[in-house]
Amino acid sequence: MASPGAVSAVTSSSHGSGATRALTEERKRKRKESNRLSAQRSRARKQQQVDELEVQVAALRARNGAMAAAANEVARRYAAVEAENELLRARTLELTERWESLAQLIQYMDAAAASFNPFAGVNGAVLPQPPLLDTAMYGNYYY
């Protein structure tokens, strides 16, 4: 049989092995707890980043919508101005043609008037022409 000292050595050695095992188990438990907390913090950070990105996406979509509405308004106003310009061009062309026609009519009338003078006498002497507006007639009226 073994001596009592040998038994205590075996017991203390197995008891020492149990303490080492318990210490190792405690370290594993602490490491698992630390890893669990770290993973939890990592998930929380990732969720916060996702939330911030969702807020940013919503803001960018709103901004995009506002810019699209502004672009549509500018396009609508541009089309209205283009239509007005086209109308003004047509009106300018019409008025230019009328002005040219009136200028030709005036030239024709001037040429006809130069060749015919109803106030010319029999021998070609020019008779006095009555004034178109006699200012003496209106001398007593004030406007």
Side-chain angles (χ1 to χ4, degrees):
M1 269 210 124
S3 68
V7 173
S8 73
V10 171
T11 307
S12 68
S13 126
S14 71
H15 184 65
S17 174
T20 306
R21 190 173 300 151
L23 185 61
T24 304
E25 290 297 320
E26 180 65 21
R27 285 181 186 161
K28 281 183 182 180
R29 187 189 64 73
K30 284 183 179 180
R31 188 170 54 243
K32 282 183 180 183
E33 179 69 17
S34 174
N35 286 346
R36 186 182 63 75
L37 292 174
S38 177
Q40 191 176 18
R41 286 190 305 269
S42 177
R43 284 190 298 272
R45 276 193 310 270
K46 186 174 276 193
Q47 184 62 46
Q48 183 180 2
Q49 288 173 344
V50 167
D51 292 345
E52 289 172 358
L53 288 174
E54 286 175 349
V55 167
Q56 189 177 5
V57 163
L60 289 173
R61 283 188 175 148
R63 185 176 174 198
N64 191 23
M67 291 176 89
N72 288 339
E73 176 63 18
V74 167
R76 185 194 62 77
R77 287 173 46 198
Y78 174 78
V81 167
E82 277 296 314
E84 185 180 2
N85 280 347
E86 192 61 35
L87 183 66
L88 290 173
R89 283 186 198 103
R91 184 74 174 145
T92 300
L93 183 61
E94 176 190 345
L95 290 174
T96 300
E97 289 173 356
R98 285 180 63 190
W99 179 80
E100 288 173 354
S101 175
L102 289 173
Q104 288 175 352
L105 182 60
I106 290 171
Q107 287 177 349
Y108 175 75
M109 291 173 67
D110 284 347
S115 65
F116 173 74
N117 189 350
F119 298 103
V122 178
N123 59 1
V126 176
L127 301 173
Q129 294 181 10
L132 295 177
L133 180 62
D134 187 6
T135 55
M137 254 170 91
Y138 300 102
N140 295 331
Y141 297 103
Y142 297 101
Y143 297 99

